[in-house]
Amino acid sequence: MTPVIETTGLRKIFRDFWRRPTVCAVDSLNLTIQPGEVFGLLGPNGSGKSTTIKMLLGLLHPTAGTVSVLGRPPADIVIKHRIGYLPENTHLHRFLTPRETLHYYGALFGLDRRTCRERGEALLEMADLTEVADRPIDGFSKGMARRVGIAQALINAPDLLILDEPTSGLDPVACREVKDLVRALANDGMTVLMTSHLLADVEHVCDRVAIMHRGLVQAEGAVDDLLVRADTTRFLIANLSDAEAEPLRAELAARLNRVVATDHPTVSLETYFLDVVARASGKASALTHFRPAPFLHKTGIGGAATESAKRESA
Amino acid sequence: MIPRVSAIALLAVRAAIRSRMVLTLAALLLLALAGLPGWMRGDGTAQGLFTLLVGHTLGVCLFLLAATSLWAGCAAVAAERSAGTATLTVVKPVRPFELWFGKWLGIMALNVVLLGAVVVGLLLQILLRAPELPGDWQRCDRVVPCILPDPAQEADQALRTLRAEGRLPANRPVTTLRAELIQEVRNRYTLIQPGETQTWRFRLPPCADGIAPTVRAVFETQYGLREESAMTLCAQAVQPSHSEAAFTIHETLMAGEPLVRALPPFTSASGGLIEVAFQLDPGARTPLLLHPGRNLALLLPDGSFGRNLVYAALILLAVLSALTACGLALGCCFSFPVASFAAVVLILLALLGSRATADATDLAEARGLGERFGLQIVRCAGSVTRPLVSAAPITQLTRREAIPLRSLGQPLWIGFLALPALLAWGSARVLKRRENGA
């Protein structure tokens, strides 16, 4: 299967006005992302994540190496029809309303008026923006603007979705909703590349991650493979009291002649938070929004490819 | 391509409307249209009021629109880049040319609406104040210049004479000398001594049969003295020759003021030749000077003020289009503050250039590489802007001179097509190479 993104020996050196090299932001980056995968690019600030994304989008020209996105060079206008992008800072036209913003970006993808309207409404509903759809973005909070940003990245039903810090500025509920949305989109065949330094976000969503530091990939692999402690085994037993657990622990320690520890597993703070919010609002779940709009449902990877092929031929 | 370009154009229109730029500009235009004629004092004559209404008002409105077009062009791309919104646009399947053309189209749509409103407002003002204006304000005249010898031929003749007489200066290149002579011929005034007669001929255009022409001449005196002089004007049809006697009239004129005299219709024939002679009274105290190229013309009634206004609006729109294109090109190349500064420099360069190209001797006399290079830049800028600047039709409107249809060709071609296409091509190349957004 042709990788959606493939880079070989990618390097980016920034230069000053006199063309003198100032910093090597990305060095020897070899990356392969397969269709339908959710790939996380992690790293501290200044590690080269955003530079990599900008090179993948054709916003920056690589100093060395090759980039292939959806089988073509990133500057190719044809592949831009198939990419959705959410930048790190949601730079939207502040004087437009969310509805106008979606129509504008839809028109840039060459969508006809009817499709723009239909998709726009579906995305507004998905992002819970219907009530504020006709208010200028100028008065929006960062989180609301971020929702509009996510919606605009999906207006073309992309095959490849690139999200730069997608949860930045969002509250925990919206964060979780975005993560669920990304997972749902990936299940429907969309390839997602996301960066974040909120590790919990990436851990729950990504199939594979690469950790960058000073422009170099320091570790890469499936999340489970990277995080698993192969030398430790944990038994999970429901409804076991401490009194019942203690003899079992002693028995195991004696039999294996090793240290055996028992503890109570904890839920993540995010899950607890969502439960509290759900209880406070009298609902079964705090998560109500950010379900993929109907037009984003594709029949797997093949379906996505077929739609893209149709668009290209049109 | 069309949905993308129209979406970008619509965005430019929305940006202008919602940033209140259009509102402010509309208020200023309204103030100029309604307030200026009331605030400024004319010279008390009907023609003075007409000049004030049309010339001054339209001039101020054009200045406002031109400055805004240039600024809006700079802002359309450069401000988007600094705000970061350009990043989201360039990752979409939008070609740099489409982005440029969409912005240009949006700003031009606003210009069309605003200039249209100015034209309608001006017409309303004129209609409201029609009783105070000259009775024939709706009439426009076609200007027929007098027949003058070709300056190049005259210069060549003078050069031949100098060479034959062995008086050709050895220390000056012939090309420089020729350019100087051509310039001299162009700037030459005709001197009419007291008692002397000077004659000029005019070739009438086709379809001039039976139309009464008007002679317009502005005589001057040395040192700009304003003196009254008596003069005899004599006009007759030379070709085809007319049986009737020549038309003769005695006039008293004031130097510096235009002498306007209607001739009888018999002097005029399609494609014919009219001879007009001026004889200065022998008793006149000072000789008179006349620049036949600039200050002598025959006027033939042609068209209406309404048609003239439409033609003028088209030329002004071409000027605005060129300015918008320049602003966009600057916005593509530089940041917003630098682009705005460059826009001001561009205006100065254009004005300088439009004058510099008229004087061909500048470059020949330039000393040193720096001076030559500077002049060359100014001349290049001028060769592009001159047709637009010199075609500024406000003077023709105020003087009620018909703007010929064929004179629209050059400004429209340069303003709407050649300059925008050239700048769009250059800007698209810059945008393609630029990193991190348009």
Side-chain angles (χ1 to χ4, degrees):
Chain A
M1 197 178 286
T2 315
V4 174
I5 291 174
E6 193 170 25
T7 70
T8 317
L10 197 63
R11 170 189 272 207
K12 178 67 190 177
I13 297 174
F14 286 108
R15 296 173 190 277
D16 64 6
F17 182 79
W18 306 107
R19 310 286 301 155
R20 291 175 304 192
T22 50
V23 64
C24 179
V26 176
D27 198 8
S28 312
L29 181 70
N30 298 312
L31 215 60
T32 306
I33 301 173
Q34 297 297 339
E37 207 173 22
V38 181
F39 192 91
L41 214 49
L42 308 178
N45 289 336
S47 57
K49 305 185 298 286
S50 294
T51 305
T52 305
I53 281 187
K54 283 176 179 173
M55 282 194 282
L56 294 175
L57 287 164
L59 289 171
L60 291 177
H61 310 310
T63 310
T66 57
V67 191
S68 157
V69 181
L70 296 160
R72 287 168 184 259
D76 196 325
I77 207 127
V78 176
I79 61 153
K80 291 187 177 182
H81 282 279
R82 300 168 59 190
I83 300 176
Y85 172 54
L86 173 73
E88 190 176 353
N89 299 308
T90 322
H91 295 300
L92 297 167
H93 296 283
R94 313 293 293 178
F95 55 86
L96 291 183
T97 65
R99 184 171 277 129
E100 288 167 346
T101 302
L102 294 181
H103 287 192
Y104 170 63
Y105 288 115
L108 292 191
F109 280 109
L111 302 178
D112 60 70
R113 224 175 245 205
R114 194 178 149 206
T115 315
C116 270
R117 198 172 53 241
E118 284 172 3
R119 288 189 178 186
E121 293 309 313
L123 286 168
L124 286 171
E125 199 177 326
M126 184 199 89
D128 193 25
L129 291 165
T130 314
E131 282 179 22
V132 291
D134 296 314
R135 264 174 47 192
I137 293 171
D138 201 20
F140 281 16
S141 67
K142 194 181 173 191
M144 280 167 80
R146 201 74 184 146
R147 285 165 183 261
V148 183
I150 291 170
Q152 68 78 29
L154 293 168
I155 189 79
N156 58 325
D159 295 334
L160 169 63
L161 182 63
I162 298 179
L163 306 169
D164 201 353
E165 308 281 356
T167 53
S168 121
L170 296 180
D171 62 45
V173 178
C175 266
R176 178 61 181 271
E177 286 168 348
V178 168
K179 286 190 282 183
D180 289 351
L181 174 76
V182 170
R183 245 345 319 164
L185 292 171
N187 291 341
D188 278 341
M190 196 180 284
T191 310
V192 182
L193 167 64
M194 60 185 281
T195 70
S196 183
H197 38 227
L198 300 174
L199 303 180
D201 290 357
V202 179
E203 187 182 344
H204 294 143
V205 178
C206 295
D207 301 315
R208 285 197 309 132
V209 294
I211 299 171
M212 294 183 76
H213 183 58
R214 291 186 178 172
L216 289 164
V217 173
Q218 306 289 347
E220 187 192 343
V223 176
D224 292 341
D225 295 346
L226 292 176
L227 301 184
V228 72
R229 290 173 64 182
D231 58 344
T232 309
T233 305
R234 177 190 280 188
F235 294 98
L236 289 175
I237 305 166
N239 302 322
L240 193 69
S241 67
D242 287 349
E244 289 170 312
E246 185 48 35
L248 285 173
R249 189 197 64 76
E251 175 68 24
L252 275 172
R255 250 192 216 193
L256 299 171
N257 196 23
R258 288 184 201 153
V259 176
V260 176
T262 56
D263 65 352
H264 294 285
T266 56
V267 291
S268 68
L269 186 59
E270 184 192 48
T271 312
Y272 182 72
F273 176 88
L274 293 173
D275 280 348
V276 170
V277 172
R279 278 202 302 274
S281 55
K283 291 178 185 170
S285 166
L287 308 174
T288 49
H289 313 296
F290 272 85
R291 300 220 170 91
F295 75 91
L296 293 170
H297 288 298
K298 297 173 182 177
T299 53
I301 298 155
T306 314
E307 192 177 319
S308 306
K310 272 184 197 167
R311 264 204 307 265
E312 270 180 47
S313 63
Chain B
M1 179 184 162
I2 293 170
R4 282 191 287 273
V5 169
S6 53
I8 294 166
L10 186 63
L11 183 83
V13 172
R14 277 182 173 146
I17 292 172
R18 293 185 190 170
S19 66
R20 300 200 181 97
M21 183 197 88
V22 171
L23 266 180
T24 314
L25 184 63
L28 285 171
L29 290 174
L30 192 68
L31 199 69
L33 270 173
L36 207 62
W39 177 60
M40 282 183 77
R41 293 246 169 260
D43 59 2
T45 63
Q47 178 57 36
L49 181 64
F50 188 78
T51 306
L52 185 71
L53 265 181
V54 178
H56 290 58
T57 312
L58 207 55
V60 171
C61 290
L62 178 66
F63 171 76
L64 287 171
L65 284 170
T68 315
S69 295
L70 200 58
W71 176 83
C74 289
V77 180
E80 262 206 43
R81 204 169 56 236
S82 61
T85 45
T87 311
L88 266 182
T89 308
V90 293
V91 296
K92 307 286 187 279
V94 179
R95 290 179 180 85
F97 171 75
E98 291 171 341
L99 181 71
W100 195 96
F101 186 56
K103 299 281 183 197
W104 177 83
L105 209 61
I107 299 171
M108 282 312 292
L110 285 172
N111 275 334
V112 168
V113 171
L114 288 171
L115 191 64
V118 166
V119 167
V120 171
L122 186 67
L123 269 177
L124 283 175
Q125 272 272 15
I126 290 171
L127 289 173
L128 275 173
R129 302 185 73 167
E132 303 165 57
L133 299 177
D136 59 345
W137 67 267
Q138 290 185 53
R139 186 190 126 165
C140 280
D141 294 313
R142 180 174 184 170
V143 177
V144 180
C146 64
I147 300 168
L148 289 170
D150 181 16
Q153 276 183 8
E154 272 203 45
D156 289 338
Q157 179 61 43
L159 273 176
R160 276 196 294 275
T161 312
L162 285 172
R163 195 175 285 124
E165 291 171 1
R167 291 194 292 129
L168 209 60
N171 56 345
R172 295 181 76 82
V174 177
T175 49
T176 310
L177 209 61
R178 186 173 183 270
E180 282 176 357
L181 284 169
I182 290 174
Q183 204 58 45
E184 203 178 296
V185 173
R186 280 205 184 115
N187 290 333
R188 195 163 58 199
Y189 275 76
T190 303
L191 184 72
I192 310 175
Q193 295 285 1
E196 195 186 354
T197 304
Q198 288 287 351
T199 308
W200 284 276
R201 286 184 170 193
F202 298 86
R203 171 72 64 193
L204 291 173
C207 314
D209 265 335
I211 298 173
T214 306
V215 174
R216 187 181 66 196
V218 183
F219 291 94
E220 295 167 56
T221 52
Q222 262 185 319
Y223 314 118
L225 295 171
R226 288 176 68 82
E227 263 193 34
E228 268 194 347
S229 306
M231 174 174 274
T232 307
L233 187 158
C234 181
Q236 63 177 340
V238 178
Q239 188 194 19
S241 58
H242 206 277
S243 56
E244 290 193 45
F247 170 76
T248 306
I249 190 164
H250 297 284
E251 293 278 356
T252 304
L253 61 95
M254 174 67 80
E257 297 284 324
L259 166 74
V260 180
R261 173 60 56 201
L263 303 178
F266 71 80
T267 53
S268 144
S270 287
L273 208 60
I274 294 186
E275 195 174 78
V276 176
F278 293 100
Q279 187 190 27
L280 187 60
D281 194 77
R285 286 194 299 175
T286 52
L288 290 178
L289 292 164
L290 179 71
H291 190 291
R294 283 201 290 267
N295 293 335
L296 177 63
L298 210 61
L299 307 176
L300 289 170
D302 183 17
S304 64
F305 178 75
R307 193 187 74 174
N308 233 18
L309 194 58
V310 171
Y311 286 179
L314 278 174
I315 296 175
L316 295 181
L317 211 56
V319 174
L320 295 178
S321 159
L323 287 170
T324 307
C326 289
L328 279 168
L330 289 172
C332 288
C333 297
F334 306 110
S335 65
F336 185 48
V338 178
S340 308
F341 174 73
V344 175
V345 174
L346 185 85
I347 291 176
L348 293 175
L349 203 64
L351 292 174
L352 271 175
S354 63
R355 287 178 185 280
T357 42
D359 192 353
T361 58
D362 283 356
L363 196 63
E365 284 180 356
R367 275 170 291 178
L369 196 65
E371 200 178 340
R372 284 185 75 84
F373 183 66
L375 266 171
Q376 200 66 52
I377 290 176
V378 169
R379 281 167 62 84
C380 282
S383 61
V384 176
T385 54
R386 197 170 182 221
L388 294 172
V389 175
S390 61
I394 297 174
T395 317
Q396 284 166 297
L397 269 180
T398 51
R399 289 166 77 166
R400 287 182 282 153
E401 289 174 2
I403 301 170
L405 186 61
R406 66 174 183 283
S407 73
L408 298 183
Q410 202 180 30
L412 296 195
W413 154 250
I414 291 179
F416 282 122
L417 211 65
L419 196 62
L422 183 75
L423 292 173
W425 176 78
S427 306
R429 287 186 71 87
V430 171
L431 290 179
K432 244 181 191 172
R433 285 167 184 228
R434 194 176 271 280
E435 288 195 326
N436 245 337

